Amino acid sequence: MSSIALVRRPGPRLPEGLVEHIEPVPVDLERAIAQWEAYVGVLNDHGWTTIEVQPADDCPDAVFIEDSVVMYANVSVSSRPGALSRRPEPAGTRSVVEDLGCSLNEIREPGTLDGGDVLKVGSTVYVGRGGRTNAEGVRQLRAILSPLGAQVVAVPVTKVLHLKTAVTALPDGTVIGYPDFVDDPSIYPRFLPVPEPHGTAVVCLGGASLLMSASAPATAALLSDLGYDVITVDISEFEKLEGCVTCLSVRVRGLD
Ligand SMILES: NC(=O)NCCC[C@H](N)C(=O)O
């Protein structure tokens, strides 16, 4: 089992999820569940073993599991979510990574950190200091990961919910982002602008395969033209809650 993805089924209160940076639009729960099942199906089709973390049905945003833990190879860092309604979410994820044999760390009070603010590119770990992740959260993450050889680079995030709302990385390490969302693209050694807000998020499925939202067809065409195999999924119901393809799973690599 070398490629594991943790996922969490959408709970009944999903439509009550937080919305802070976009206009609220009603969420169709049944449609969301179908979209989530299709998303998990793509992971499975590409060789990922998915593990369902126990539901946290009192937390409307629990499906956005990426925010509950940061993985650096087999080292886990349980988050301390910036939003109070999300604070109970990391417990379930922590118990699964413990069962997988990962070492356990956590962000402690007064630190806050959401996994969506952490972007790994090789041994560089960009961490967004924004609405959900505070300076103490950044400090604690740096203290945990630096001794492991990670270079933790703090990045201001003022325009969007999370760092990974603005930027993610291609398999070759090129950071892609929607310019209006990015505070300072010059932070990244190689930055490629994408033409659509929902084009910022890619999940690297392995090899040259990328998973993206169906809401960004021009970006899908751009990346396909750069030689990637692009698989798209409709995640419209999660996008209404400021979610994206990355936040619906936690990819765990390097357990062997
Ligand atoms: N990592 C992510 O992009 N997470 C999305 C979280 C969306 C959720 N509605 C929230 O505001 O926390």
Side-chain angles (χ1 to χ4, degrees):
M1 287 218 300
S2 56
S3 295
I4 292 173
L6 312 184
V7 292
R8 197 176 230 161
R9 189 168 282 279
R13 293 182 56 193
L14 176 73
E16 299 166 45
L18 296 169
V19 178
E20 293 176 353
H21 299 81
I22 57 176
E23 281 301 307
V25 180
V27 171
D28 181 331
L29 180 58
E30 260 183 50
R31 197 161 174 227
I33 293 170
Q35 291 178 348
W36 180 84
E37 284 172 349
Y39 172 93
V40 172
V42 173
L43 294 177
N44 294 147
D45 289 348
H46 287 78
W48 292 80
T49 301
T50 45
I51 299 179
E52 266 194 54
V53 173
Q54 68 185 59
D57 283 349
D58 288 340
C59 298
D61 288 298
V63 69
F64 302 116
I65 189 169
E66 173 187 65
D67 294 321
S68 66
V69 68
V70 174
M71 296 301 305
Y72 187 78
N74 65 346
V75 174
S76 75
V77 183
S78 287
S79 73
R80 184 165 182 270
L84 278 179
S85 64
R86 304 197 62 186
R87 289 272 161 87
E89 294 178 25
T93 322
R94 182 182 170 95
S95 119
V96 171
V97 294
E98 184 172 18
D99 289 349
L100 289 172
C102 300
S103 68
L104 304 177
N105 302 273
E106 64 186 345
I107 303 297
R108 297 169 197 267
E109 193 178 0
T112 64
L113 181 134
D114 279 13
D117 277 320
V118 180
L119 172 66
K120 287 167 288 178
V121 183
S123 61
T124 302
V125 179
Y126 296 101
V127 52
R129 160 69 181 102
R132 300 284 177 85
T133 295
N134 65 14
E136 178 58 19
V138 173
R139 238 175 249 129
Q140 292 183 24
L141 189 73
R142 187 183 287 124
I144 295 165
L145 297 185
S146 298
L148 307 174
Q151 199 194 359
V152 177
V153 178
V155 180
V157 175
T158 61
K159 302 179 175 179
V160 284
L161 173 62
H162 286 132
L163 176 64
K164 279 196 273 191
T165 320
V167 292
T168 60
L170 298 174
D172 67 5
T174 301
V175 170
I176 63 168
Y178 185 63
D180 289 358
F181 290 175
V182 183
D183 281 77
D184 183 1
S186 73
I187 285 172
Y188 308 104
R190 274 202 310 279
F191 179 79
L192 176 70
V194 299
E196 295 148 313
H198 291 302
T200 57
V202 294
V203 170
C204 299
L205 290 169
S209 298
L210 302 177
L211 177 58
M212 290 188 57
S213 163
S215 309
T219 309
L222 168 72
L223 298 179
S224 178
D225 193 50
L226 292 177
Y228 290 105
D229 302 321
V230 179
I231 297 101
T232 58
V233 281
D234 183 1
I235 53 159
S236 62
E237 300 316 295
F238 302 104
E239 287 170 346
K240 291 174 182 174
L241 296 167
E242 297 187 71
C244 57
V245 282
T246 60
C247 58
L248 293 171
S249 59
V250 176
R251 279 80 55 201
V252 184
R253 299 174 173 93
L255 289 186
D256 299 335

